[in-house]
Amino acid sequence: MAALQLTVVVPCFNEAEAIETFHAALLAALDPLGGNLEICYVDDGSTDGTRLLLGGLAALDTRVRYTAFSRNFGKEAAMLAGLRMSRGSAVVLMDADLQHPPELIPRMLELHRHGYDQVIPRRDRTGEGVLRNALSHTYYALVRHCMDVEVIDGSGDFRLLSRRAVNSVLSLPESNRFSKGIFSWIGFETVSFRYRNRERAAGQSKWGSRRLLNYGIDGLLSFNNRPLRLAIYTGFWVFVSALVYALWTVVNVLLNGAETPGYATLLTAVVALSGIQLVTLGVIGEYVGRIYHEAKHRPPYVVRETDETCPSLPGEPEPVATGELSDIAADRSRTIRQFASFVLIGCVNTAVYLAVYYVLNQWMPYLAAHAVGFTVSFVGSFLLNSYITVGTKPTWRGFVRYPLSSVINLVVSGALLHLAVSGLGVDKNLAALAAGVLVTPFSFLLARWAITSGRGAPAPPDRPDDNRAEPSVIKSDSH
Ligand code: UDP
Ligand code: MG
């Protein structure tokens, strides 16, 4: 067989609605080119029949190959699998939803023939919301400032790579992959051109706001250690400001005599410092997490079947059982993570309440300050737990039910307190602490129930984020 000239790699996740239209459009663009080519589809654990459709396409056309994952491992893993499958001397990476127009492939090949190892069509931002546009621009400005590699606004994964560029990408052993950075890091002759942004042909984007945020953080952390440096600088400046403030206080006391100490200043300083410490710990934790994750040497994905293997042999145990087991494990780890987030948000909200209460106390009666502080921390708790803990949009129904969890919490902790103090003779303070701790998991379950009760179906499992062993949280398109 003559050497393959072109491989088109297409990651697909729940693209049953779009895949056939895409395949037809791709063939319409590729057929006039002639030559030897192959199309490598990677099914990233779809649940909507995409895998069967790909099997059908592969059975009809020998140029079509596919690999299907055992579950959703994320687009980064799917692209990696596609690059590993590819055999062509040029490889085009593109999405399955026709947002990356196949008609551009001839132009990309033409530029490749002129000696370019990377040809990048850059989309403009036509049809994008103002907010998303502004956020993207800010993100890219930040990335340009912070990252050790250059990432161009509008350039995504849609690109042509020469064989030597693909080999360089594959030679990088890291499993926490941020392709945008990797493509830029490998270097080689690169050219880009603009094309008009397009809407999805069918189906829905798989990138919710939370996934995008994770992707953004991954991008920022993958290619530099500046966030750590920023933490050092922030700590240094906070320390210097505290020193200046202390000197100023001493001088003031010497000149004017002692005044009543300001609790508000003290508390604001404590809360601000705790915030900085938490953020810094989080940044360090992210890096440590990455080291831990790399040290495990887990493969970035698990293959369920390919066009060359038989999906299931007669007499083999039902594959569903494994899926169910991994679902249970995923559910458990999600609940643990949600609980940790719930506890953390509880601490943050207590700090917010105290800060608001102490600051407002100077201007209004203490009960009014308490009411405002309580309302702010209550609404904050509901919103943070909705967006971060449960990962869903808040609803009015959830908001109305949310206080119920606090009421039940109050009653149950009161009952436990009574039992401990009157029944078991435990010290009052110790009993209150123990009751508070014991009732927390219970109030977490109630709060989660209240938040999700406003939705038709339970919150979608956010699998790609559950397992940091896979790079799925990384979104490598032009957001
Ligand atoms: N995709 C994937 N795994 C995922 C999410 C997305 O393989 O976990 C694929 C998806 O099928 C599509 C491409 O990545 O071919 C881009 O996804 P999408 O269109 O949802 O992203 P957007 O265009 O909104 O950035
Ligand atoms: Mg898309």
Side-chain angles (χ1 to χ4, degrees):
M1 187 172 106
L4 274 170
Q5 283 154 9
L6 175 67
T7 301
V8 180
V9 168
V10 191
C12 311
F13 176 50
N14 288 344
E15 298 288 3
E17 287 175 53
I19 200 73
E20 280 170 326
T21 326
F22 167 80
H23 190 68
L26 183 63
L27 287 185
L30 295 182
D31 281 342
L33 297 175
N36 259 330
L37 60 93
E38 64 176 358
I39 305 167
C40 296
Y41 286 107
V42 182
D43 172 43
D44 185 13
S46 303
T47 49
D48 68 346
T50 303
R51 182 167 54 93
L52 298 178
L53 289 171
L54 294 182
L57 293 176
L60 287 175
D61 188 341
T62 49
R63 294 173 301 175
V64 178
R65 299 166 60 209
Y66 79 95
T67 290
F69 289 171
S70 58
R71 66 167 173 87
N72 178 239
F73 281 90
K75 189 183 175 189
E76 285 288 340
M79 288 195 300
L80 179 66
L83 290 179
R84 283 179 178 168
M85 280 168 85
S86 70
R87 298 173 300 192
S89 57
V91 178
V92 170
L93 273 167
M94 64 195 303
D95 290 357
D97 56 5
L98 285 174
Q99 283 193 292
H100 297 165
E103 314 84 85
L104 298 182
I105 294 178
R107 190 165 165 203
M108 293 162 81
L109 281 169
E110 186 57 35
L111 285 164
H112 171 54
R113 266 182 237 117
H114 281 87
Y116 289 104
D117 288 276
Q118 294 202 51
V119 183
I120 314 170
R122 294 163 58 193
R123 67 180 175 119
D124 61 19
R125 297 207 171 267
T126 322
E128 246 179 32
V130 183
L131 183 69
R132 187 157 170 163
N133 212 335
L135 284 176
S136 299
H137 280 304
T138 317
Y139 176 69
Y140 278 98
L142 191 71
V143 158
R144 255 195 299 279
H145 188 69
C146 292
M147 266 209 216
D148 300 334
V149 290
E150 199 198 344
V151 177
I152 317 161
D153 188 357
S155 73
D157 305 318
F158 185 26
R159 62 184 66 213
L160 178 147
L161 298 169
S162 66
R163 176 47 45 194
R164 60 178 179 170
V166 171
N167 290 343
S168 313
V169 170
L170 293 179
S171 70
L172 296 184
E174 65 220 61
S175 46
N176 218 328
R177 298 179 85 86
F178 177 64
S179 281
K180 254 184 204 183
I182 291 177
F183 293 144
S184 170
W185 185 87
I186 58 165
F188 291 121
E189 302 304 311
T190 304
V191 65
S192 71
F193 62 87
R194 281 215 167 263
Y195 73 95
R196 218 177 142 78
N197 191 22
R198 288 198 183 176
E199 287 292 310
R200 238 178 185 278
Q204 282 189 342
S205 169
K206 318 294 178 296
W207 300 93
S209 40
R210 184 158 156 219
R211 242 179 153 186
L212 275 178
L213 187 68
N214 280 331
Y215 160 72
I217 294 173
D218 272 321
L220 279 176
L221 297 187
S222 289
F223 273 83
N224 71 94
N225 58 4
R226 270 174 228 182
L228 284 177
R229 197 106 6 112
L230 192 71
I232 295 171
Y233 288 145
T234 314
F236 176 75
W237 284 116
V238 169
F239 173 71
V240 170
S241 333
L243 212 64
V244 171
Y245 182 67
L247 278 176
W248 180 79
T249 313
V250 170
V251 172
N252 204 19
V253 169
L254 287 178
L255 295 179
N256 307 324
E259 279 178 17
T260 324
Y263 284 110
T265 326
L266 196 68
L267 201 94
T268 315
V270 168
V271 171
L273 272 175
S274 319
I276 292 172
Q277 277 173 355
L278 278 179
V279 171
T280 315
L281 267 181
V283 172
I284 296 171
E286 277 286 333
Y287 282 105
V288 175
R290 265 146 227 268
I291 297 169
Y292 171 64
H293 161 51
E294 294 291 338
K296 280 192 286 189
H297 292 300
R298 281 195 191 159
Y301 53 84
V302 176
V303 173
R304 175 199 189 104
E305 70 184 52
T306 69
D307 50 301
E308 284 160 14
T309 60
C310 194
S312 63
L313 294 168
E316 268 189 350
E318 271 295 296
V320 178
T322 338
E324 277 169 6
L325 276 181
S326 67
D327 276 355
I328 293 168
D331 272 357
R332 194 174 302 152
S333 87
R334 191 167 55 247
T335 303
I336 292 171
R337 212 194 51 217
Q338 286 180 340
F339 181 64
S341 152
F342 178 78
V343 171
L344 200 70
I345 288 172
C347 296
V348 171
N349 276 321
T350 310
V352 168
Y353 162 77
L354 287 173
V356 173
Y357 176 72
Y358 277 104
V359 171
L360 292 186
N361 237 340
Q362 300 178 64
W363 295 293
M364 52 173 74
Y366 73 94
L367 278 181
H370 163 71
V372 176
F374 183 83
T375 313
V376 170
S377 90
F378 175 80
V379 175
S381 156
F382 174 70
L383 292 178
L384 288 175
N385 278 318
S386 299
Y387 281 119
I388 298 174
T389 305
V390 184
T392 184
K393 277 197 181 142
T395 59
W396 285 110
R397 192 163 160 200
F399 187 64
V400 171
R401 288 191 179 184
Y402 199 67
L404 200 67
S405 71
S406 308
V407 173
I408 297 180
N409 185 348
L410 181 76
V411 173
V412 175
S413 59
L416 282 175
L417 188 64
H418 179 72
L419 187 79
V421 176
S422 313
L424 306 172
V426 181
D427 171 70
K428 277 181 198 158
N429 293 333
L430 197 68
L433 187 71
V437 172
L438 281 177
V439 91
T440 307
F442 189 61
S443 57
F444 157 68
L445 291 177
L446 281 168
R448 192 172 67 170
W449 163 80
I451 290 169
T452 50
S453 66
R455 325 221 121 246
D462 40 1
R463 267 192 176 155
D465 299 352
D466 284 339
N467 186 354
R468 304 288 303 179
E470 35 75 359
S472 58
V473 288
I474 298 167
K475 159 79 176 91
S476 204
D477 204 342
S478 352
H479 292 285

